[in-house]
Amino acid sequence: MTPNPAIMRSVEQLGYRVTVGDVASQAGLNVGEANQGLLALASDAGGHLQVAESGDIVYQFPQNFRTILRNKYLQLRLQEWWKKIWGVLFYLIRISFGVLLVASIALITITIIIIITAANSDRDGDNRSSRSSGFNFFFFPDLFWYFSPDYGSQERRRERRENSEFNFLEAVFSFLFGDGNPNANLEERRWQEIGSVIRNNQGAVVAEQIAPYLDNLGEKYQQEYEDYILPVLVKFNGKPQVSPEGQIVYYFPELQVQASKKIRQPIEPYLDEITWRFSAASSGQIMLSAGLGAVNLVGALVLGSLLKSGTVAAQIGGLVGFVQGIYWLLLAYGIGFLGIPLARYFWIQWRNGKIVNRNDERLQRARLLTNADDSLQEKMAFASQFATETVIGKEDLIYSSDTDLLEQEFEQVKRQNRLDEDR
């Protein structure tokens, strides 16, 4: 079984010595999944099991366990290679849209120039030069200033750094398709924050402390019965406890055991979804991309009117004939270049409206917790009775798989002698 990347990251972040509860809360994983994943990782990466007198288990991993796994698994090596290759391929894909835009504008422009020049040549050869230069004045200074010789100067580079991290070609892709889902790891964040809330409260919480991190709590009666907490109990192997007043609290034994003392993790009071941005490119780059897109579309429409009769391409041939053959592709690209961002803009507005509503709902739940009434305070006080924290140090171990058996027996005898002396 290929090791779980989330478990490997958690082991590294937690200092290579972990319990199941450490990993489950850190990575937001199901307790059973974390347990199985740690066992598999320990087996594959040369990890060691350490057993405390209480029966709790700690997993100790070598700091080079990724190297051990890489040497052992061809699949992991291939994944790392593909990650590097895909980074290059994706960058080429991103800049290709900007290259296509420039190529489309250049092709349309050159074709229009050839057609107009040919028409002017037939009509009046003496005026060909002046008319041609007039067209150049209209197009080239407006479109290709971006590619002027001083574009790479220090002043221009400084302006680009201040405005955006993107170069022009990357900005075109960002204008077209945006920069990815800002909440792609939302579920991972959700369970990590829930795990941190439970850990910060020493493994015992009330449902109201978890509610600001959840969605879809159900109808009013379902919220009163706290049905929404069930997925959390299943994921972290929690147990309910009823107070004498009939209030329910929840504690999580596996999350109360730690391999080392940890500082209380600062977390947000509620799960805050990030709103979508239209583009991370600078406003200047967005305006430039939109402007070039408009010029490209207008140029395609002008070219279409010149090619309308069909006789021009037949008479001139060459590049003009080729462009006539792909004209509908050029027109479709021009329409799509402006149509996709426009549709995406309205879609983002709709999507962000829903995100804001969900954030507001979770914020209101967090405020109810902050301004807890007497009943909720009593409930939280009852939960604190089940709060505990067990840190397994090396002095608590009775067995470790990386220690010689005779040495373990000797240490066990010494420990027993100390207990006898204490009695």
Side-chain angles (χ1 to χ4, degrees):
M1 180 176 74
T2 305
N4 188 324
I7 292 178
M8 292 194 292
R9 284 196 304 270
S10 297
V11 168
E12 290 171 329
Q13 293 166 358
L14 294 167
Y16 303 96
R17 188 171 183 270
V18 298
T19 64
V20 171
D22 287 334
V23 171
S25 59
Q26 177 77 16
L29 294 174
N30 181 288
V31 169
E33 183 181 356
N35 186 38
Q36 291 298 319
L38 281 171
L39 283 171
L41 185 61
S43 174
D44 293 334
H48 302 291
L49 274 62
Q50 300 174 343
V51 183
E53 292 186 43
S54 60
D56 295 308
I57 297 176
V58 175
Y59 295 85
Q60 176 76 55
F61 293 91
Q63 295 190 8
N64 66 335
F65 76 87
R66 280 190 181 270
T67 303
I68 296 172
L69 291 173
R70 195 180 300 117
N71 294 334
K72 189 171 185 178
Y73 283 99
L74 175 62
Q75 184 177 353
L76 289 178
R77 293 200 298 272
L78 292 176
Q79 286 176 353
E80 291 185 358
W81 292 337
W82 172 246
K83 187 176 180 181
K84 295 176 182 177
I85 293 171
W86 173 244
V88 175
L89 290 176
F90 185 62
Y91 180 78
L92 294 176
I93 292 171
R94 287 171 62 193
I95 67 174
S96 67
F97 289 90
V99 172
L100 285 174
L101 174 63
V102 174
S104 176
I105 292 174
L107 190 61
I108 289 172
T109 303
I110 293 171
T111 305
I112 291 175
I113 291 174
I114 292 174
I115 294 174
I116 292 178
T117 302
N120 290 342
S121 177
D122 293 340
R123 187 179 305 124
D124 188 357
D126 295 335
N127 295 329
R128 183 187 313 151
S129 176
S130 62
R131 287 174 182 161
S132 176
S133 62
F135 187 87
N136 284 338
F137 176 77
F138 166 76
F139 183 78
F140 284 100
D142 292 334
L143 286 185
F144 290 109
W145 67 267
Y146 197 91
F147 304 99
S148 61
D150 68 332
Y151 177 72
S153 67
Q154 185 175 353
E155 183 178 351
R156 289 292 181 91
R157 288 198 300 269
R158 189 183 306 114
E159 290 175 0
R160 294 204 306 275
R161 283 198 301 269
E162 290 174 356
N163 294 332
S164 172
E165 338 182 296
F166 294 147
N167 59 43
F168 167 70
L169 297 179
E170 292 173 319
V172 168
F173 182 88
S174 180
F175 170 75
L176 279 171
F177 304 110
D179 307 286
N181 183 359
N183 300 299
N185 64 337
L186 181 66
E187 287 306 306
E188 182 180 351
R189 281 177 51 211
R190 185 196 309 278
W191 290 111
Q192 286 175 345
E193 292 186 6
I194 290 174
S196 295
V197 168
I198 296 172
R199 270 296 176 86
N200 289 349
N201 289 276
Q202 296 183 313
V205 295
V206 298
E208 288 82 355
Q209 291 174 294
I210 304 298
Y213 303 92
L214 297 175
D215 293 318
N216 304 320
L217 301 191
E219 301 297 332
K220 188 69 175 176
Y221 74 92
Q222 293 175 309
Q223 296 182 33
E224 291 176 356
Y225 286 111
E226 300 180 355
D227 291 349
Y228 58 86
I229 204 71
L230 291 175
V232 182
L233 297 179
V234 171
K235 193 171 192 74
F236 295 124
N237 199 17
K239 302 180 185 300
Q241 190 72 31
V242 183
S243 72
E245 291 77 19
Q247 297 174 318
I248 306 176
V249 301
Y250 308 92
Y251 68 100
F252 301 81
E254 280 85 353
L255 271 58
Q256 294 175 325
V257 181
Q258 303 178 21
S260 60
K261 183 69 177 177
K262 294 178 180 62
I263 301 173
R264 184 185 177 96
Q265 293 291 326
I267 57 171
E268 296 295 328
Y270 67 99
L271 181 64
D272 186 20
E273 285 185 70
I274 304 169
T275 53
W276 288 63
R277 290 179 64 182
F278 176 75
S279 172
S282 69
S283 57
Q285 289 173 327
I286 292 174
M287 292 297 294
L288 176 63
S289 299
L292 290 177
V295 169
N296 183 56
L297 179 58
V298 171
L301 294 174
V302 171
L303 178 61
S305 66
L306 294 175
L307 295 173
K308 195 171 186 180
S309 63
T311 59
V312 175
Q315 291 173 356
I316 300 176
L319 179 64
V320 177
F322 169 74
V323 170
Q324 185 179 41
I326 64 168
Y327 172 73
W328 291 109
L329 290 177
L330 294 174
L331 182 61
Y333 181 78
I335 295 172
F337 192 90
L338 295 178
I340 291 173
L342 183 63
R344 196 167 59 81
Y345 173 80
F346 289 108
W347 180 83
I348 285 175
Q349 302 307 307
W350 171 78
R351 187 72 179 264
N352 282 346
K354 291 186 170 294
I355 289 176
V356 169
N357 290 337
R358 288 196 295 268
N359 282 342
D360 286 343
E361 290 177 3
R362 290 190 290 262
L363 176 59
Q364 293 305 318
R365 295 181 213 138
R367 286 175 176 170
L368 288 176
L369 185 62
T370 302
N371 305 314
D373 57 20
D374 293 340
S375 175
L376 181 53
Q377 289 180 7
E378 290 177 3
K379 189 177 179 182
M380 293 170 68
F382 179 70
S384 66
Q385 298 178 24
F386 299 91
T388 184
E389 193 174 81
T390 302
V391 179
I392 302 176
K394 297 206 175 166
E395 66 279 2
D396 300 314
L397 302 179
I398 59 173
Y399 171 79
S400 177
S401 60
D402 63 339
T403 306
D404 183 78
L405 183 59
L406 292 176
E407 185 180 343
Q408 291 177 26
E409 292 177 352
F410 179 68
E411 290 295 331
Q412 189 170 2
V413 170
K414 285 174 62 178
R415 188 179 294 106
Q416 186 62 44
N417 290 338
R418 284 198 301 269
L419 291 174
D420 292 339
E421 289 175 0
D422 292 340
R423 293 197 190 101

